[in-house]
Coordinates of all heavy atoms in Angstrom, one line a residue:
E1 N 130.9 80.5 34.3 CA 132.4 80.3 34.1 C 133.1 80.7 35.4 O 132.6 81.5 36.3 CB 132.9 81.3 33.0 CG 132.2 81.1 31.7 CD 131.1 82.1 31.4 OE1 130.5 82.5 32.4 OE2 130.8 82.4 30.3
S2 N 134.3 80.1 35.6 CA 135.2 80.4 36.7 C 136.6 80.2 36.3 O 136.9 79.5 35.3 CB 134.8 79.6 37.9 OG 135.0 78.2 37.7
G3 N 137.6 80.7 37.0 CA 139.0 80.5 36.8 C 139.7 81.6 36.2 O 141.0 81.5 36.1
G4 N 139.1 82.7 35.8 CA 139.8 83.8 35.3 C 140.6 84.5 36.3 O 140.5 84.3 37.5
G5 N 141.4 85.5 35.9 CA 142.2 86.2 36.8 C 143.4 86.9 36.1 O 143.4 87.1 34.9
L6 N 144.3 87.4 36.9 CA 145.5 88.1 36.4 C 146.7 87.2 36.4 O 147.0 86.5 37.4 CB 145.8 89.3 37.3 CG 147.0 90.1 37.0 CD1 146.9 90.8 35.6 CD2 147.2 91.2 38.0
V7 N 147.4 87.1 35.3 CA 148.6 86.3 35.2 C 149.6 87.0 34.3 O 149.3 87.8 33.5 CB 148.2 84.9 34.6 CG1 147.7 85.1 33.1 CG2 149.3 83.9 34.6
Q8 N 150.9 86.7 34.6 CA 152.0 87.2 33.8 C 152.1 86.5 32.5 O 151.7 85.3 32.4 CB 153.3 87.1 34.6 CG 153.4 88.0 35.8 CD 154.7 87.9 36.5 OE1 155.7 87.3 36.0 NE2 154.8 88.5 37.7
A9 N 152.6 87.2 31.5 CA 152.9 86.6 30.2 C 153.7 85.3 30.4 O 154.7 85.3 31.1 CB 153.6 87.6 29.3
G10 N 153.3 84.3 29.7 CA 154.0 83.0 29.8 C 153.4 82.1 30.8 O 153.7 80.9 30.9
G11 N 152.5 82.6 31.6 CA 151.8 81.8 32.6 C 150.6 81.0 32.1 O 150.4 81.0 30.9
S12 N 149.9 80.4 33.1 CA 148.8 79.5 32.7 C 147.6 79.8 33.6 O 147.7 80.2 34.7 CB 149.2 78.0 32.9 OG 150.3 77.7 32.0
L13 N 146.4 79.5 33.0 CA 145.2 79.5 33.7 C 144.3 78.4 33.2 O 144.4 78.0 32.1 CB 144.4 80.8 33.5 CG 144.9 82.1 34.3 CD1 144.1 83.3 33.8 CD2 144.8 82.0 35.8
R14 N 143.4 77.9 34.0 CA 142.4 77.0 33.6 C 141.0 77.5 33.9 O 140.7 77.8 35.0 CB 142.6 75.6 34.2 CG 141.7 74.5 33.6 CD 141.8 73.2 34.2 NE 141.1 73.1 35.5 CZ 140.6 72.0 36.1 NH1 140.8 70.8 35.4 NH2 140.1 72.0 37.2
L15 N 140.2 77.6 32.8 CA 138.9 78.1 33.0 C 137.9 76.9 33.0 O 138.2 75.9 32.4 CB 138.5 79.0 31.8 CG 139.4 80.2 31.5 CD1 138.8 81.0 30.3 CD2 139.6 81.1 32.7
S16 N 136.9 77.1 33.8 CA 135.8 76.0 33.9 C 134.5 76.7 33.6 O 134.2 77.8 33.9 CB 135.8 75.4 35.3 OG 137.0 74.8 35.6
C17 N 133.6 75.9 33.0 CA 132.2 76.3 32.8 C 131.3 75.2 33.1 O 131.4 74.1 32.4 CB 132.0 76.8 31.3 SG 130.3 77.2 30.9
A18 N 130.5 75.3 34.1 CA 129.5 74.3 34.5 C 128.1 74.6 34.1 O 127.7 75.8 34.3 CB 129.6 74.1 36.0
A19 N 127.4 73.7 33.5 CA 126.1 73.9 33.1 C 125.1 73.2 34.1 O 125.4 72.2 34.7 CB 125.8 73.2 31.7
S20 N 124.0 73.9 34.4 CA 123.0 73.4 35.3 C 121.6 73.7 34.8 O 121.5 74.6 34.0 CB 123.2 73.9 36.7 OG 123.1 75.3 36.7
G21 N 120.7 73.0 35.4 CA 119.3 73.3 35.0 C 118.6 72.1 34.4 O 119.1 70.9 34.6
S22 N 117.6 72.3 33.6 CA 116.8 71.2 33.0 C 117.5 70.8 31.7 O 117.1 71.3 30.6 CB 115.4 71.6 32.8 OG 114.8 72.0 34.1
I23 N 118.5 70.0 31.8 CA 119.3 69.6 30.6 C 118.8 68.2 30.1 O 118.7 67.2 30.8 CB 120.7 69.5 31.0 CG1 121.3 70.8 31.5 CG2 121.5 69.0 29.8 CD1 122.6 70.8 32.1
S24 N 118.4 68.2 28.9 CA 118.1 67.0 28.2 C 119.4 66.4 27.6 O 119.8 65.2 27.9 CB 117.1 67.2 27.0 OG 116.9 66.0 26.4
R25 N 120.2 67.2 26.9 CA 121.5 66.9 26.4 C 122.3 68.1 26.1 O 121.7 69.1 25.8 CB 121.4 65.9 25.2 CG 120.8 66.5 24.0 CD 120.8 65.6 22.8 NE 122.1 65.4 22.3 CZ 122.4 64.6 21.3 NH1 121.5 63.9 20.7 NH2 123.7 64.4 20.9
I26 N 123.6 68.0 26.1 CA 124.5 69.1 25.7 C 125.2 68.6 24.4 O 125.9 67.5 24.5 CB 125.5 69.5 26.7 CG1 124.7 70.0 28.0 CG2 126.4 70.6 26.2 CD1 125.6 70.4 29.1
N27 N 125.1 69.3 23.4 CA 125.8 68.9 22.1 C 127.2 69.5 22.1 O 128.0 69.2 23.0 CB 124.9 69.4 20.9 CG 123.5 68.8 21.0 OD1 123.3 67.6 21.1 ND2 122.5 69.7 21.1
A28 N 127.5 70.4 21.2 CA 128.8 71.1 21.2 C 128.9 72.1 22.4 O 127.9 72.7 22.8 CB 129.1 71.7 19.9
M29 N 130.1 72.3 22.9 CA 130.4 73.4 23.8 C 131.6 74.2 23.3 O 132.4 73.6 22.5 CB 130.7 72.9 25.2 CG 129.5 72.0 25.8 SD 129.8 71.5 27.5 CE 129.5 73.0 28.4
G30 N 131.7 75.4 23.7 CA 132.8 76.2 23.2 C 133.2 77.3 24.1 O 132.5 77.7 25.1
W31 N 134.4 77.9 23.8 CA 134.9 79.1 24.5 C 135.0 80.2 23.5 O 135.6 80.0 22.4 CB 136.2 78.9 25.2 CG 136.1 78.0 26.4 CD1 136.2 76.7 26.6 CD2 135.7 78.5 27.8 NE1 136.0 76.3 27.9 CE2 135.7 77.4 28.6 CE3 135.4 79.7 28.3 CZ2 135.4 77.5 30.0 CZ3 135.1 79.8 29.6 CH2 135.1 78.7 30.5
Y32 N 134.6 81.4 23.8 CA 134.7 82.6 23.0 C 135.3 83.7 23.9 O 135.3 83.6 25.1 CB 133.4 83.0 22.5 CG 132.7 82.0 21.5 CD1 132.2 80.9 22.0 CD2 132.7 82.3 20.2 CE1 131.6 79.9 21.1 CE2 132.1 81.4 19.3 CZ 131.6 80.2 19.8 OH 131.0 79.3 18.9
R33 N 135.9 84.7 23.3 CA 136.4 85.8 24.0 C 136.1 87.1 23.4 O 135.9 87.2 22.1 CB 137.9 85.7 24.3 CG 138.7 85.7 23.0 CD 140.2 85.4 23.3 NE 141.1 85.5 22.2 CZ 142.3 85.1 22.1 NH1 142.9 84.6 23.2 NH2 143.0 85.3 21.0
Q34 N 136.1 88.2 24.2 CA 135.8 89.5 23.6 C 136.6 90.5 24.4 O 136.5 90.7 25.6 CB 134.3 89.9 23.8 CG 133.9 91.2 23.1 CD 132.4 91.3 23.0 OE1 131.7 90.7 23.7 NE2 132.0 92.2 22.1
A35 N 137.5 91.2 23.6 CA 138.3 92.3 24.2 C 137.5 93.6 23.9 O 136.7 93.7 23.0 CB 139.6 92.4 23.5

């Protein structure tokens, strides 16, 4: 993952997640968070 950081309320960020390795196929992908 990349793209995280500090932002003020009301602002925007774009996160990216790149997969690499021996990939046959990627089915579903998702984002989760933990406080």
Side-chain angles (χ1 to χ4, degrees):
E1 302 98 334
S2 62
L6 175 64
V7 65
Q8 293 183 8
S12 298
L13 287 172
R14 190 181 75 155
L15 307 183
S16 299
C17 176
S20 63
S22 300
I23 301 170
S24 179
R25 63 177 292 178
I26 301 179
N27 306 302
M29 303 184 76
W31 288 96
Y32 296 74
R33 66 187 182 187
Q34 187 168 20

